[in-house]
Amino acid sequence: MTAAQPLDVQMMQRALAIAADAARAGEIPVGAVVYRGEEILGEGGNRREIDDDPTAHAEVVAMRQAGRALGRWRLHDCAMAVTLEPCPMCAGAMVNARLGRVIWGADDAKAGACKSLYHIHDDPRLNHRLIGLGGVLADESIALLQAFFKTRRGR
Amino acid sequence: MTAAQPLDVQMMQRALAIAADAARAGEIPVGAVVYRGEEILGEGGNRREIDDDPTAHAEVVAMRQAGRALGRWRLHDCAMAVTLEPCPMCAGAMVNARLGRVIWGADDAKAGACKSLYHIHDDPRLNHRLIGLGGVLADESIALLQAFFKTRRGR
């Protein structure tokens, strides 16, 4: 299964709503949802500024929550929808978590690690590879990011 | 400054003690210390099993703690000593944190992202590069890891 399913699109819509919340909190608008079937196990937006935490990207926040919900760090039976292509940290975390699939929205030419700069999620040298699919509701994600940075520049 | 200084070696000794504690707790023995001058701002061992957290590598634990201690996610004025070459997640987290320097012990041929498989800490395409130096007290780190996996296989 490599194409986005209706459930993936639905989860991406939830991730976009979380990203919009992050922007209102002054964080770069990225949101992520970890799910198993229709069940959401973890979700979150960027919390880097709020938490003074360099690792608090949306994906890390969502995967940590999913691990707590399941009582295990292995997320092999889960998928994640995230509004922006994961960076090296987040792509590495997905591999460490043995995540099953990742669906992302906009590509990130400057830091993307699933297509743009690296293919960390699908590196045969690492001990886990996962299915990746980008471009899902990408326009909505780009619109959120552009609006956020336009407002910032205006200050 | 690219060679290990006496302070770096001292911090690595602390990281090795933390790694030994992690082994006793049933975690793969890796330890990390974030410091600014002689001040330790964050430290931790692997907590993946204890916390059901796929992101709880020693480096992430130590950097999160340092961010909380400083009240900011930027760790540009800090260094980190870690007993094993950082994986893609941790190397990406170091870049995201704008960490100043990383000193590691043993190389990790299977997942190392600062020398073995990638050079994420020093990639001119990313928005931060940091000084990296490996091989500091590497034998002590390897001894801890080998003893841990030998015990595990014996079970």
Coordinates of all heavy atoms in Angstrom, one line a residue, chain A residues 4-77:
Chain A
A4 N -1.9 7.2 -0.8 CA -2.6 7.7 0.4 C -4.1 7.2 0.4 O -4.8 7.3 -0.6 CB -2.6 9.2 0.4
Q5 N -4.5 6.6 1.5 CA -5.9 6.1 1.7 C -6.7 7.3 2.3 O -6.2 8.2 2.8 CB -5.9 4.9 2.6 CG -4.9 3.8 2.1 CD -5.3 3.2 0.8 OE1 -6.5 2.8 0.6 NE2 -4.4 3.2 -0.1
P6 N -8.1 7.1 2.1 CA -8.9 8.1 2.8 C -8.6 8.4 4.2 O -8.6 9.5 4.7 CB -10.3 7.6 2.6 CG -10.2 6.7 1.3 CD -8.8 6.1 1.4
L7 N -8.3 7.3 5.0 CA -7.9 7.5 6.4 C -6.7 8.3 6.5 O -6.6 9.2 7.5 CB -7.7 6.1 7.0 CG -7.4 6.1 8.5 CD1 -8.5 6.7 9.3 CD2 -7.1 4.7 9.0
D8 N -5.7 8.1 5.7 CA -4.5 8.9 5.7 C -4.8 10.4 5.5 O -4.3 11.3 6.2 CB -3.5 8.5 4.7 CG -3.0 7.1 4.8 OD1 -2.9 6.6 6.0 OD2 -2.8 6.4 3.8
V9 N -5.7 10.7 4.6 CA -6.0 12.1 4.3 C -6.8 12.7 5.5 O -6.5 13.8 5.9 CB -6.9 12.2 3.0 CG1 -7.3 13.6 2.8 CG2 -6.1 11.7 1.8
Q10 N -7.6 11.9 6.1 CA -8.4 12.3 7.3 C -7.4 12.7 8.4 O -7.5 13.7 9.1 CB -9.3 11.2 7.7 CG -10.2 11.5 8.8 CD -11.0 10.2 9.2 OE1 -11.5 9.4 8.4 NE2 -11.1 10.0 10.5
M11 N -6.4 11.8 8.6 CA -5.4 12.0 9.7 C -4.5 13.3 9.3 O -4.2 14.0 10.2 CB -4.5 10.8 9.8 CG -5.2 9.6 10.4 SD -5.9 9.9 12.1 CE -6.8 8.3 12.3
M12 N -4.3 13.5 8.0 CA -3.5 14.7 7.7 C -4.3 15.9 7.9 O -3.7 17.0 8.3 CB -3.1 14.6 6.2 CG -2.2 15.7 5.7 SD -0.6 15.7 6.6 CE 0.3 14.5 5.6
Q13 N -5.6 15.9 7.8 CA -6.5 17.0 8.1 C -6.4 17.3 9.6 O -6.3 18.5 10.0 CB -7.9 16.8 7.7 CG -8.1 16.9 6.1 CD -9.4 16.3 5.6 OE1 -10.0 15.4 6.2 NE2 -9.8 16.7 4.4
R14 N -6.3 16.3 10.4 CA -6.2 16.5 11.8 C -4.8 17.1 12.1 O -4.6 18.0 12.9 CB -6.3 15.2 12.6 CG -6.0 15.2 14.0 CD -7.0 15.9 14.9 NE -6.6 16.2 16.2 CZ -6.8 17.3 16.9 NH1 -7.6 18.2 16.4 NH2 -6.4 17.4 18.1
A15 N -3.8 16.6 11.4 CA -2.4 17.1 11.6 C -2.3 18.6 11.2 O -1.6 19.4 11.9 CB -1.4 16.3 10.8
L16 N -3.1 19.0 10.2 CA -3.1 20.4 9.7 C -3.8 21.3 10.8 O -3.3 22.4 11.0 CB -3.8 20.5 8.4 CG -3.0 20.0 7.2 CD1 -3.9 19.8 6.0 CD2 -1.9 21.0 6.8
A17 N -4.8 20.8 11.4 CA -5.5 21.5 12.5 C -4.5 21.8 13.6 O -4.5 22.9 14.2 CB -6.7 20.8 12.9
I18 N -3.7 20.8 14.0 CA -2.7 20.9 15.0 C -1.7 21.9 14.7 O -1.2 22.7 15.5 CB -2.1 19.5 15.4 CG1 -3.2 18.6 15.9 CG2 -1.0 19.6 16.3 CD1 -2.8 17.1 16.0
A19 N -1.2 21.8 13.4 CA -0.2 22.8 12.9 C -0.7 24.2 13.0 O 0.0 25.1 13.5 CB 0.1 22.5 11.5
A20 N -2.0 24.4 12.7 CA -2.6 25.8 12.8 C -2.6 26.2 14.3 O -2.3 27.4 14.6 CB -4.0 25.8 12.3
D21 N -2.9 25.3 15.2 CA -2.8 25.6 16.7 C -1.4 26.0 17.0 O -1.2 26.9 17.8 CB -3.2 24.4 17.5 CG -4.7 24.1 17.5 OD1 -5.5 25.1 17.1 OD2 -5.1 23.0 17.8
A22 N -0.4 25.3 16.5 CA 1.0 25.6 16.8 C 1.3 27.0 16.4 O 2.0 27.7 17.2 CB 1.9 24.6 16.2
A23 N 0.9 27.4 15.2 CA 1.2 28.8 14.8 C 0.6 29.8 15.7 O 1.3 30.8 16.0 CB 0.6 28.9 13.3
R24 N -0.6 29.5 16.2 CA -1.2 30.5 17.1 C -0.5 30.6 18.4 O -0.5 31.6 19.1 CB -2.7 30.1 17.4 CG -3.6 30.5 16.2 CD -5.1 30.3 16.6 NE -5.5 28.9 16.5 CZ -5.9 28.3 15.3 NH1 -6.0 29.0 14.2 NH2 -6.2 27.0 15.3
A25 N 0.3 29.5 18.7 CA 1.1 29.5 20.0 C 2.5 30.0 19.7 O 3.3 30.0 20.6 CB 1.2 28.1 20.5
G26 N 2.7 30.5 18.5 CA 4.0 31.1 18.2 C 5.1 30.1 17.7 O 6.3 30.5 17.6
E27 N 4.7 28.9 17.4 CA 5.6 27.9 16.9 C 5.5 27.7 15.4 O 4.4 27.9 14.9 CB 5.2 26.5 17.6 CG 5.2 26.5 19.1 CD 6.6 26.2 19.7 OE1 7.6 26.0 19.0 OE2 6.7 26.3 20.9
I28 N 6.5 27.3 14.8 CA 6.5 27.0 13.3 C 5.4 26.0 13.1 O 5.4 24.9 13.8 CB 7.8 26.5 12.8 CG1 8.9 27.7 12.9 CG2 7.7 26.0 11.4 CD1 10.3 27.3 12.6
P29 N 4.4 26.2 12.2 CA 3.2 25.3 12.2 C 3.5 24.0 11.5 O 3.5 23.9 10.2 CB 2.2 26.2 11.4 CG 3.0 27.1 10.6 CD 4.3 27.4 11.4
V30 N 3.8 23.0 12.3 CA 3.9 21.6 11.8 C 3.1 20.8 12.8 O 3.2 21.0 14.0 CB 5.4 21.2 11.8 CG1 5.4 19.7 11.3 CG2 6.2 22.1 10.9
G31 N 2.3 19.9 12.3 CA 1.5 19.0 13.2 C 1.7 17.5 12.8 O 2.0 17.2 11.6
A32 N 1.6 16.6 13.7 CA 1.7 15.2 13.4 C 0.7 14.4 14.2 O 0.4 14.7 15.3 CB 3.1 14.7 13.8
V33 N 0.3 13.3 13.6 CA -0.6 12.3 14.3 C -0.1 10.9 14.0 O 0.2 10.5 12.9 CB -2.0 12.5 13.6 CG1 -3.0 11.4 14.2 CG2 -2.6 13.9 13.8
V34 N 0.0 10.1 15.1 CA 0.3 8.7 15.0 C -0.9 7.9 15.2 O -1.7 8.1 16.2 CB 1.4 8.3 16.1 CG1 1.6 6.8 16.1 CG2 2.7 9.1 15.9
Y35 N -1.2 7.0 14.3 CA -2.5 6.2 14.4 C -2.3 4.8 14.0 O -1.3 4.4 13.3 CB -3.5 6.9 13.5 CG -3.1 7.1 12.0 CD1 -3.5 6.3 11.0 CD2 -2.2 8.2 11.7 CE1 -3.1 6.6 9.7 CE2 -1.8 8.5 10.4 CZ -2.3 7.6 9.4 OH -1.8 7.9 8.1
R36 N -3.2 4.0 14.6 CA -3.2 2.5 14.3 C -4.6 2.3 13.8 O -5.6 2.3 14.7 CB -2.8 1.8 15.5 CG -2.8 0.3 15.3 CD -2.3 -0.4 16.6 NE -3.1 -0.2 17.7 CZ -2.9 -0.7 18.9 NH1 -2.0 -1.6 19.1 NH2 -3.8 -0.4 19.9
G37 N -4.8 2.0 12.6 CA -6.2 2.0 12.0 C -6.8 3.3 12.3 O -6.2 4.3 12.0
E38 N -8.0 3.3 12.8 CA -8.7 4.6 13.0 C -8.4 5.3 14.3 O -8.8 6.4 14.6 CB -10.2 4.4 12.8 CG -10.6 4.0 11.4 CD -12.1 4.0 11.3 OE1 -12.9 4.3 12.2 OE2 -12.6 3.6 10.2
E39 N -7.6 4.6 15.1 CA -7.3 5.0 16.5 C -6.1 5.9 16.5 O -5.0 5.6 16.1 CB -7.0 3.8 17.4 CG -6.8 4.1 18.8 CD -6.4 2.8 19.6 OE1 -6.1 1.8 19.0 OE2 -6.4 2.9 20.8
I40 N -6.3 7.1 17.0 CA -5.2 8.1 17.2 C -4.5 7.8 18.5 O -5.1 7.7 19.6 CB -5.7 9.5 17.2 CG1 -6.2 9.9 15.8 CG2 -4.5 10.5 17.7 CD1 -6.7 11.3 15.7
L41 N -3.2 7.5 18.5 CA -2.4 7.1 19.7 C -1.5 8.2 20.2 O -1.1 8.2 21.3 CB -1.6 5.8 19.4 CG -2.3 4.6 19.0 CD1 -1.4 3.5 18.5 CD2 -3.1 4.1 20.2
G42 N -1.2 9.1 19.3 CA -0.4 10.3 19.7 C -0.5 11.4 18.7 O -0.8 11.1 17.6
E43 N -0.4 12.6 19.2 CA -0.5 13.7 18.3 C 0.2 14.9 19.0 O 0.3 15.0 20.2 CB -1.9 14.1 17.9 CG -2.8 14.4 19.0 CD -4.2 14.8 18.6 OE1 -4.7 14.3 17.6 OE2 -4.8 15.7 19.3
G44 N 0.6 15.9 18.1 CA 1.2 17.0 18.7 C 1.7 18.0 17.6 O 1.8 17.6 16.4
G45 N 2.0 19.2 18.0 CA 2.6 20.2 17.2 C 3.9 20.5 17.7 O 4.4 20.0 18.7
N46 N 4.6 21.3 17.0 CA 5.9 21.8 17.4 C 5.8 22.4 18.8 O 4.9 23.2 19.0 CB 6.4 22.9 16.5 CG 7.5 22.5 15.5 OD1 8.2 21.6 15.9 ND2 7.5 23.1 14.4
R47 N 6.7 22.1 19.7 CA 6.7 22.7 21.0 C 8.1 23.2 21.4 O 8.4 23.3 22.6 CB 6.2 21.7 22.1 CG 4.8 21.1 21.8 CD 4.4 20.2 23.0 NE 4.5 20.8 24.2 CZ 3.5 21.6 24.8 NH1 2.4 21.8 24.1 NH2 3.7 22.2 25.9
R48 N 8.9 23.5 20.4 CA 10.3 23.8 20.7 C 10.4 25.1 21.6 O 11.2 25.1 22.5 CB 11.0 24.1 19.3 CG 12.4 24.1 19.4 CD 13.0 24.2 18.0 NE 12.7 25.3 17.3 CZ 13.3 25.7 16.1 NH1 14.2 25.0 15.6 NH2 12.9 26.8 15.5
E49 N 9.6 26.1 21.3 CA 9.7 27.4 22.0 C 9.1 27.2 23.4 O 9.6 27.6 24.4 CB 9.1 28.5 21.3 CG 9.6 28.7 19.9 CD 11.0 29.3 19.8 OE1 11.5 29.8 20.8 OE2 11.6 29.3 18.7
I50 N 7.9 26.6 23.4 CA 7.1 26.5 24.6 C 7.8 25.6 25.7 O 7.9 26.0 26.9 CB 5.7 25.8 24.3 CG1 4.9 26.7 23.4 CG2 4.9 25.5 25.6 CD1 3.7 25.9 22.8
D51 N 8.5 24.6 25.2 CA 9.1 23.6 26.1 C 10.6 23.9 26.3 O 11.3 23.1 27.0 CB 8.9 22.2 25.7 CG 7.5 21.7 25.8 OD1 6.7 22.4 26.5 OD2 7.1 20.7 25.3
D52 N 11.2 24.9 25.6 CA 12.7 25.0 25.6 C 13.3 23.7 25.2 O 14.3 23.3 25.9 CB 13.2 25.6 26.9 CG 12.6 26.9 27.2 OD1 12.5 27.8 26.3 OD2 12.3 27.2 28.4
D53 N 12.8 23.0 24.3 CA 13.3 21.6 24.0 C 13.6 21.5 22.5 O 12.8 21.6 21.6 CB 12.1 20.7 24.3 CG 12.5 19.2 24.1 OD1 13.6 18.9 23.5 OD2 11.7 18.3 24.5
P54 N 14.9 21.4 22.2 CA 15.4 21.3 20.8 C 14.8 20.1 20.1 O 14.9 20.0 18.8 CB 16.9 21.3 20.9 CG 17.2 20.8 22.2 CD 16.1 21.2 23.1
T55 N 14.4 19.1 20.8 CA 13.9 17.9 20.2 C 12.4 17.8 20.0 O 11.8 16.9 19.5 CB 14.3 16.6 21.0 OG1 13.5 16.5 22.2 CG2 15.8 16.7 21.4
A56 N 11.7 18.9 20.4 CA 10.2 18.9 20.4 C 9.6 19.2 19.1 O 8.7 20.1 19.0 CB 9.7 19.8 21.6
H57 N 10.0 18.6 18.1 CA 9.3 18.7 16.8 C 8.0 17.9 16.9 O 7.9 17.0 17.7 CB 10.1 18.1 15.7 CG 11.2 19.1 15.1 ND1 11.9 18.8 14.0 CD2 11.5 20.3 15.5 CE1 12.7 19.8 13.7 NE2 12.5 20.7 14.7
A58 N 7.0 18.2 16.0 CA 5.7 17.6 16.1 C 5.8 16.0 16.1 O 5.1 15.3 16.8 CB 4.9 18.1 14.9
E59 N 6.7 15.5 15.2 CA 6.8 14.1 15.1 C 7.3 13.4 16.4 O 6.8 12.3 16.8 CB 7.8 13.7 13.9 CG 7.4 14.2 12.6 CD 8.1 15.5 12.2 OE1 8.1 16.4 13.1 OE2 8.6 15.7 11.1
V60 N 8.3 14.0 17.0 CA 8.8 13.5 18.2 C 7.7 13.5 19.3 O 7.5 12.5 20.1 CB 10.1 14.2 18.7 CG1 10.5 13.9 20.1 CG2 11.2 13.9 17.7
V61 N 7.0 14.6 19.4 CA 6.0 14.8 20.4 C 4.9 13.7 20.2 O 4.5 13.0 21.2 CB 5.3 16.2 20.3 CG1 4.1 16.3 21.2 CG2 6.4 17.3 20.7
A62 N 4.5 13.5 19.0 CA 3.5 12.5 18.7 C 3.9 11.0 18.9 O 3.2 10.2 19.5 CB 3.0 12.6 17.2
M63 N 5.2 10.7 18.5 CA 5.7 9.4 18.8 C 5.9 9.1 20.2 O 5.7 7.9 20.7 CB 7.0 9.1 17.9 CG 6.7 8.9 16.4 SD 8.1 8.4 15.5 CE 9.0 9.9 15.3
R64 N 6.4 10.1 21.0 CA 6.6 9.8 22.4 C 5.2 9.5 23.1 O 5.1 8.6 23.9 CB 7.2 11.1 23.1 CG 8.6 11.4 22.6 CD 9.2 12.6 23.3 NE 9.7 12.1 24.6 CZ 9.6 12.8 25.7 NH1 9.1 14.0 25.7 NH2 10.1 12.3 26.9
Q65 N 4.2 10.3 22.7 CA 2.9 10.1 23.2 C 2.3 8.7 22.9 O 1.7 8.0 23.7 CB 1.9 11.2 22.7 CG 0.6 11.3 23.5 CD -0.2 12.5 23.0 OE1 -1.1 12.3 22.2 NE2 0.2 13.7 23.4
A66 N 2.6 8.3 21.6 CA 2.1 7.0 21.2 C 2.8 5.9 22.0 O 2.1 4.9 22.3 CB 2.3 6.8 19.7
G67 N 4.1 6.0 22.2 CA 4.8 5.0 23.0 C 4.2 4.9 24.4 O 4.0 3.8 24.9
R68 N 3.9 6.0 25.0 CA 3.3 6.0 26.3 C 1.9 5.3 26.3 O 1.6 4.5 27.2 CB 3.2 7.4 26.9 CG 4.5 8.0 27.4 CD 4.2 9.2 28.3 NE 3.6 10.3 27.6 CZ 4.2 11.3 26.9 NH1 5.5 11.3 26.8 NH2 3.5 12.2 26.3
A69 N 1.1 5.6 25.2 CA -0.2 5.1 25.1 C -0.2 3.5 25.0 O -1.0 2.8 25.5 CB -0.9 5.7 23.9
L70 N 0.8 3.1 24.2 CA 0.9 1.6 23.9 C 1.7 0.9 25.0 O 1.6 -0.4 25.1 CB 1.5 1.4 22.6 CG 0.7 1.8 21.4 CD1 1.5 1.7 20.1 CD2 -0.5 0.8 21.3
G71 N 2.5 1.6 25.8 CA 3.3 0.9 26.8 C 4.5 0.2 26.1 O 5.0 -0.8 26.7
R72 N 4.9 0.7 25.0 CA 6.1 0.1 24.3 C 6.7 1.1 23.3 O 5.9 2.0 22.8 CB 5.8 -1.2 23.6 CG 4.6 -1.1 22.6 CD 4.5 -2.4 21.8 NE 3.1 -2.6 21.2 CZ 2.7 -2.1 20.0 NH1 3.5 -1.3 19.3 NH2 1.5 -2.4 19.6
W73 N 8.0 1.1 23.1 CA 8.6 2.0 22.2 C 8.5 1.6 20.7 O 8.7 2.4 19.8 CB 10.1 2.3 22.5 CG 10.9 1.1 22.6 CD1 11.3 0.4 23.7 CD2 11.6 0.5 21.5 NE1 12.1 -0.6 23.4 CE2 12.3 -0.6 22.0 CE3 11.7 0.7 20.1 CZ2 13.1 -1.5 21.2 CZ3 12.4 -0.1 19.3 CH2 13.1 -1.2 19.9
R74 N 8.1 0.4 20.5 CA 8.0 -0.1 19.1 C 6.7 0.2 18.5 O 5.6 -0.1 19.0 CB 8.2 -1.7 19.0 CG 9.6 -2.1 19.2 CD 9.7 -3.7 19.1 NE 11.0 -4.2 19.5 CZ 11.4 -4.4 20.7 NH1 10.6 -4.1 21.7 NH2 12.6 -4.8 20.9
L75 N 6.7 1.0 17.4 CA 5.5 1.5 16.8 C 5.3 0.9 15.4 O 4.8 1.5 14.4 CB 5.5 3.0 16.7 CG 5.7 3.8 18.0 CD1 5.8 5.3 17.8 CD2 4.7 3.4 19.0
H76 N 5.7 -0.4 15.2 CA 5.7 -1.1 13.9 C 4.3 -1.1 13.3 O 4.1 -1.2 12.1 CB 6.2 -2.5 14.0 CG 5.6 -3.3 15.1 ND1 5.9 -3.2 16.4 CD2 4.5 -4.1 15.1 CE1 5.2 -4.0 17.2 NE2 4.3 -4.6 16.4
D77 N 3.2 -1.2 14.1 CA 1.9 -1.3 13.6 C 1.2 0.1 13.5 O -0.1 0.1 13.4 CB 1.1 -2.2 14.6 CG 1.2 -1.9 16.0 OD1 2.0 -0.9 16.4 OD2 0.6 -2.5 16.9

